[in-house]
Amino acid sequence: MKKIIHLSDLHIGHEVCGSRFRAIIDAIIKTKQPAKNYIILITGDIVDNANHYKQTDEAVGNIDLLREHGYRILVVPGNHDYGNGALGNKKFVGLFKEKYYGSRDISYPKLDIIGKTAFIGLDSTAEELHWHDRFFSEGELGKEQLKRLGEILKDKRIADRKKVIYLHHHPFDFKAGMQLNDNKKLRKIISNKVDALLFGHYHRDSESAGKEYNGTWGIPRCYNGGSSTHKNGDIGFQRVIDLSRSDAGNDYDAEFINNSATVHFALC
Ligand SMILES: [Fe+2]
């Protein structure tokens, strides 16, 4: 089974975040492990401000570089991928699909069945583009997306597969104004039904190696990636997840870069 490298909140375009992402890429490429052994999954805020098209071009260029080296990349948008983080614009919904997936004809939940794992990507930002949403950035999935998610989880094609759900916003109730708006509805649909729930958005979470949420909603692995490029020195991980092992204790932070941007080589 392929391992997952979970990255989040790269914020390319903000200070040195772009060069830190390049350091992560270089470290991944330089390891001797075959690319086909890994899925690289990025849970949003890939760029810092989508209004600056250069940032998206840089992000896509670097992701394409990983693809050229044989890595499979899965991404979902965060609030910064649809605007400046506080104020979004609907035009970026289609643009994100075109740039990162190569087609606007994509809908969420985005299901990718890769080997023995079903990856289900959610867009927690598209329902957050109203004028009043600028005051908070909690994220919302919306009725339609949640309905389709319920249907996908009943799909016979994924019945015997591991299931990974990934989205940008924090799904748990930990701080008023920051939690996913419809997290209770999400809980009803996915509790005890999936193997991993991966997200980002909140950079200051995960003081205890990011494993404090494991087991929440009956889901063995619940990981906040934080800011993998350590925007403003924030907490974040470049976590390697091995779903073939039942013990989440085997998952680890690869530390391709750390808070001082030191490069390590830690794929095993
Ligand atoms: Fe972020």
Side-chain angles (χ1 to χ4, degrees):
M1 182 176 280
K2 295 173 192 293
K3 292 178 184 174
I4 301 164
I5 299 174
H6 175 208
L7 306 174
S8 196
D9 295 71
L10 305 175
H11 287 280
I12 291 166
H14 178 80
E15 297 180 359
V16 294
C17 287
S19 58
R20 286 183 176 176
F21 182 43
R22 276 307 295 258
I24 292 172
I25 290 172
D26 290 346
I28 290 172
I29 289 172
K30 281 177 187 167
T31 57
K32 289 177 182 162
Q33 300 294 323
K36 63 180 171 55
N37 290 0
Y38 295 93
I39 302 286
I40 299 174
L41 191 155
I42 308 172
T43 49
D45 280 4
I46 302 170
V47 299
D48 196 56
N49 188 340
N51 295 297
H52 302 308
Y53 290 94
K54 272 188 178 176
Q55 295 184 8
T56 303
D57 289 344
E58 181 181 343
V60 172
N62 284 324
I63 286 171
D64 283 346
L65 181 65
L66 281 165
R67 288 186 173 128
E68 284 163 19
H69 279 82
Y71 291 93
R72 180 80 183 260
I73 318 290
L74 299 175
V75 301
V76 283
N79 46 307
H80 283 258
D81 298 306
Y82 285 172
N84 64 7
L87 185 60
N89 188 312
K90 277 195 177 358
K91 72 180 178 185
F92 291 117
V93 178
L95 212 54
F96 185 92
K97 292 174 183 176
E98 186 182 308
K99 292 282 184 181
Y100 290 97
Y101 308 137
S103 167
R104 291 188 179 229
D105 191 24
I106 297 283
S107 60
Y108 302 97
K110 182 175 179 290
L111 172 65
D112 291 276
I113 297 175
I114 304 172
K116 294 176 178 172
T117 309
F119 293 89
I120 305 168
L122 304 176
D123 180 355
S124 53
T125 302
E127 295 290 326
E128 279 272 298
L129 298 174
H130 311 294
W131 68 269
H132 50 80
D133 289 320
R134 72 183 67 183
F135 302 113
F136 295 107
S137 185
E138 308 101 325
E140 186 171 342
L141 296 166
K143 272 185 191 173
E144 275 305 307
Q145 193 174 188
L146 285 167
K147 183 169 169 268
R148 288 199 299 274
L149 175 60
E151 290 163 1
I152 285 173
L153 288 175
K154 289 175 190 158
D155 189 324
K156 285 180 184 165
R157 290 177 299 161
I158 70 169
D160 296 326
R161 290 184 157 89
K162 299 278 187 187
K163 299 167 194 65
V164 176
I165 291 189
Y166 61 107
L167 74 164
H168 177 63
H169 287 86
H170 203 301
F172 305 127
D173 178 4
F174 71 103
K175 189 178 171 190
M178 286 294 282
Q179 63 187 274
L180 186 73
N181 265 332
D182 38 10
N183 65 340
K184 290 185 178 68
K185 290 174 186 164
L186 177 66
R187 178 181 186 168
K188 270 189 186 171
I189 294 167
I190 69 173
S191 284
N192 300 300
K193 290 186 182 142
V194 302
D195 300 279
L197 179 58
L198 309 180
F199 52 95
H201 188 52
Y202 192 54
H203 303 183
R204 291 173 186 78
D205 210 353
S206 304
E207 292 284 1
S208 57
K211 293 185 177 176
E212 62 267 41
Y213 295 111
N214 285 352
T216 308
W217 298 357
I219 302 169
R221 289 163 160 99
C222 301
Y223 291 134
N224 177 6
S227 173
S228 300
T229 51
H230 304 294
K231 179 182 177 181
N232 296 330
D234 293 343
I235 290 168
F237 302 94
Q238 306 106 46
R239 185 175 285 107
V240 180
I241 302 164
D242 184 355
L243 292 180
S244 69
R245 319 241 336 223
S246 57
D247 183 3
N250 293 303
D251 302 338
Y252 67 100
D253 182 14
E255 290 199 334
F256 299 121
I257 60 166
N258 59 26
N259 264 340
S260 57
T262 307
V263 177
H264 299 271
F265 304 102
L267 274 187
C268 59

